[in-house]
Amino acid sequence: MGETAEQARNEEVTMEEIVALCKRRGFIFPSSEIYGGLGSTYDYGHYGVLLKNNVKAEWWRAMVGDRDDIVALDSAILQHPRVWEASGHLEGFTDPLVDCRTCKLRFRADKLEDAQCGQKPSKHPGEGPDCDLTDPRQFNLMFETHVGPVAGEGSEVYLRPETAQGIFINFKNVLQFARRKPPFGIAQVGKSFRNEITPGNFIFRTREFEQMEMEFFVPPDEADEWYQRWIEERRRWYEELGIRPDFLRVRPHDADELSHYSSATSDVEYLFPIGWSELEGIANRGDFDLTQHARFSGEKLEYFDQQTKERYVPHVIEPAAGADRATLAFLVDSYDAEEVEGRQRTVLRLHPRLAPVKVAVLPLVSKEGMPEKAREVYESLRRRLPAEFDEGGSIGKRYRRQDEIGTPWGVTVDGQTMEDDTVTLRDRDSLEQVRVPIEGLGEELAGRLEQPWRTPKLG
Ligand code: ATP
């Protein structure tokens, strides 16, 4: 099975095609481009913002909208430096780094087989004839900066390398004000920063990225059960949003891979064009974080059950996902190229709820009152769902433009519309066109948007 999925992956789309589509259609641009770019940082354009917002909205829906045992949080990026001492990041959030004295490049010592020798790209660092690597030294991935006007002793702070710690340090606040009893969760979405030694593969690994993390606090004896439940929940989330099951797998970590805080971790992996890679990690963190923060802060971070008079430090199950990585996976998995009536069309078969634009309204031609009528239809639709009006170029060209950004429905105003107030409604995937009245069109589309959806790629 693995081999067939991998073969299919290679034939379907390359990372270069995804990068090109993102640039061409204004989803994602290399950052600081007019200054020559800054390696591995990206800016999201209009459709990219809408798509990533939809990914995050679906995550919030799954965490907070569809259940009542998780609350939301938005903690600060800058936190007290002791947070990172307690969490173990100051000491242990490091990668081993080697320098090559010959080519002056730097590599991750544990990933030399993924890198190319600076002088002989067919070889890995250390294998080239003149490679002269230093011994590995540990490099902390946290970005350091200063608060206040004077840089120096005591003013150092770090840009958070994960959103999770912001949740643990608010455990007491949430317990008090949200009146929660384990099992309950705290969810957060926000930027994190890691000074990655070898970022790359487009938005897969960048130094500034967005995480979607949830810490689920449970009675200790329920931890194993919740760990399994969250692995399944999270896999289901990707599948319901259209990722094909053959391109998704859950990989439990080996004992030697586990982080210092974790008794068990599983990664949800996606078969990216670069191979199977982590989309999200689900970890059983035990009581490590609350215990550490209690020790370092002197605050009690535990749960006291008034009824049973029981006192305990909850254990934590953490599903930690990346919003940019998930966005990349949805782009890759939805990408399709096919020939229709002798012409090539590229189409993003995105789940309608993820699609940046839900409906495009197009006048068939730019005359005979059609643009005005189409604009009227557009004005009424856009109040209900993200819509776009497009009157530039041939109708075929406009449809292809919408296909490329994944717009699931196209509404065309034509000669007949002017007579009977009906339009054609075109489906992105089946290309079926049906005649529907303008009245009720908004409800019809809003209804379709809430339907369960299955990618047509599954046949
Ligand atoms: P990796 O092994 O790929 O470095 P990780 O195990 O260090 O990832 P976590 O600390 O578990 O990652 O972070 C949770 C999620 O945050 C990851 O599954 C990924 O989706 C996302 N993420 C982590 N680092 C980056 C990055 N540099 N760029 C983009 N997304 C990232």
Side-chain angles (χ1 to χ4, degrees):
M1 194 282 291
E3 220 181 57
T4 41
E6 272 155 47
Q7 279 163 357
R9 158 57 62 239
N10 289 336
E11 286 158 19
E12 201 175 60
V13 64
T14 61
M15 195 69 107
E16 290 71 32
E17 284 169 313
I18 294 292
V19 174
L21 174 85
C22 285
K23 179 94 202 286
R24 182 165 79 242
R25 300 315 321 273
F27 279 85
I28 301 167
F29 312 105
S31 177
S32 311
E33 222 179 349
I34 61 168
Y35 288 100
L38 175 68
S40 293
T41 50
Y42 292 92
D43 297 339
Y44 283 71
H46 183 66
Y47 297 128
V49 172
L50 297 182
L51 174 61
K52 185 155 67 135
N53 277 350
N54 291 341
V55 171
K56 291 185 283 183
E58 286 303 321
W59 188 87
W60 278 120
R61 182 210 281 254
M63 292 293 165
V64 174
D66 288 348
R67 25 192 326 145
D68 57 9
D69 54 0
I70 299 178
V71 295
L73 179 79
D74 187 356
S75 72
I77 287 173
L78 300 178
Q79 295 165 18
H80 195 288
R82 295 271 285 167
V83 170
W84 309 110
E85 273 180 61
S87 69
H89 281 81
L90 206 53
E91 185 100 336
F93 195 54
T94 54
D95 279 338
L97 166 83
V98 293
D99 289 291
C100 177
R101 295 186 187 94
T102 313
C103 69
K104 311 287 179 220
L105 291 181
R106 294 191 147 165
F107 307 100
R108 251 176 83 167
D110 57 336
K111 300 263 181 199
L112 290 180
E113 67 282 5
D114 296 341
Q116 294 175 325
C117 162
Q119 297 202 308
K120 223 172 174 351
S122 61
K123 305 231 176 234
H124 299 305
E127 293 179 348
D130 301 318
C131 291
D132 183 9
L133 301 184
T134 60
D135 286 335
R137 60 201 161 93
Q138 292 300 323
F139 173 77
N140 197 299
L141 301 184
M142 286 200 292
F143 279 101
E144 196 179 317
T145 185
H146 301 273
V147 286
V150 187
E153 196 65 10
S155 72
E156 299 88 0
V157 291
Y158 303 93
L159 302 186
R160 68 176 176 205
E162 61 175 31
T163 60
Q165 299 306 320
I167 295 179
F168 297 125
I169 60 176
N170 277 289
F171 174 77
K172 212 176 158 184
N173 286 334
V174 174
L175 205 57
Q176 198 170 347
F177 294 103
R179 294 170 184 276
R180 294 287 160 166
K181 171 180 163 61
F184 77 93
I186 307 177
Q188 159 150 256
V189 172
K191 285 245 166 153
S192 291
F193 303 83
R194 295 181 187 178
N195 201 358
E196 302 274 8
I197 298 166
T198 40
N201 293 313
F202 195 35
I203 54 169
F204 179 83
R205 187 182 304 286
T206 50
R207 295 196 171 102
E208 175 183 343
F209 55 96
E210 267 187 292
Q211 288 187 306
M212 309 185 288
E213 296 195 296
M214 195 276 291
E215 308 302 323
F216 203 69
F217 300 92
V218 301
D221 60 350
E222 293 179 23
D224 286 344
E225 182 199 332
W226 280 105
Y227 171 62
Q228 296 302 335
R229 273 166 82 165
W230 277 110
I231 292 173
E232 266 327 294
E233 281 289 313
R234 293 307 302 149
R235 172 212 267 271
R236 204 158 52 86
W237 184 79
Y238 292 100
E239 285 183 13
E240 279 179 8
L241 289 172
I243 302 270
R244 290 160 295 169
D246 277 2
F247 288 73
L248 210 55
R249 73 177 185 194
V250 171
R251 189 184 65 82
H253 280 204
D254 295 332
D256 60 352
E257 271 183 277
L258 291 176
S259 316
H260 57 284
Y261 53 74
S262 172
S263 63
T265 297
S266 289
D267 288 344
V268 177
E269 295 188 334
Y270 177 69
L271 185 52
F272 285 97
I274 52 171
W276 286 103
S277 313
E278 174 179 338
L279 256 185
E280 164 158 3
I282 294 104
N284 181 346
R285 300 177 72 120
D287 63 359
F288 176 82
D289 305 274
L290 290 181
T291 306
Q292 282 292 99
H293 285 300
R295 189 180 314 150
F296 277 71
S297 67
E299 294 279 348
K300 274 205 175 103
L301 301 178
E302 56 190 22
Y303 178 73
F304 177 65
D305 192 319
Q306 299 282 0
Q307 273 155 6
T308 62
K309 305 290 175 222
E310 198 191 357
R311 187 183 292 282
Y312 63 88
V313 178
H315 283 208
V316 174
I317 309 302
E318 173 196 77
D324 310 87
R325 255 186 220 184
T327 300
L328 181 60
F330 289 122
L331 280 167
V332 167
D333 210 69
S334 65
Y335 187 98
D336 211 354
E338 64 178 5
E339 204 167 288
V340 179
E341 290 163 8
R343 307 183 82 135
Q344 190 72 13
R345 96 167 170 142
T346 304
V347 51
L348 290 185
R349 301 192 190 279
L350 287 166
H351 189 298
R353 290 211 306 265
L354 292 180
V357 175
K358 313 301 180 199
V359 57
V361 184
L362 320 167
L364 183 63
V365 288
S366 269
K367 54 184 184 191
E368 292 158 20
M370 288 182 217
E372 293 75 16
K373 185 75 181 173
R375 190 162 269 286
E376 240 176 70
V377 174
Y378 161 70
E379 287 297 339
S380 70
L381 285 180
R382 64 188 282 240
R383 297 186 202 290
R384 301 203 59 139
L385 67 179
E388 200 165 275
F389 176 77
D390 189 358
E391 60 177 334
S394 76
I395 190 79
K397 218 174 181 171
R398 280 177 281 158
Y399 277 145
R400 279 197 296 285
R401 233 166 17 214
Q402 294 297 332
D403 288 340
E404 266 200 331
I405 61 165
T407 307
W409 302 295
V411 164
T412 308
V413 166
D414 54 20
Q416 195 178 329
T417 312
M418 309 310 288
E419 289 163 21
D420 64 3
D421 268 351
T422 62
V423 289
T424 57
L425 179 57
R426 172 190 185 262
D427 182 276
R428 172 196 71 198
D429 298 318
S430 66
L431 293 175
E432 189 191 28
Q433 303 207 19
V434 290
R435 195 99 214 150
V436 295
I438 293 173
E439 202 181 335
L441 187 56
E443 286 91 83
E444 162 72 24
L445 295 177
R448 286 187 183 202
L449 203 53
E450 288 306 315
Q451 302 281 315
W453 183 86
R454 185 183 144 92
T455 171
K457 283 182 159 192
L458 287 173

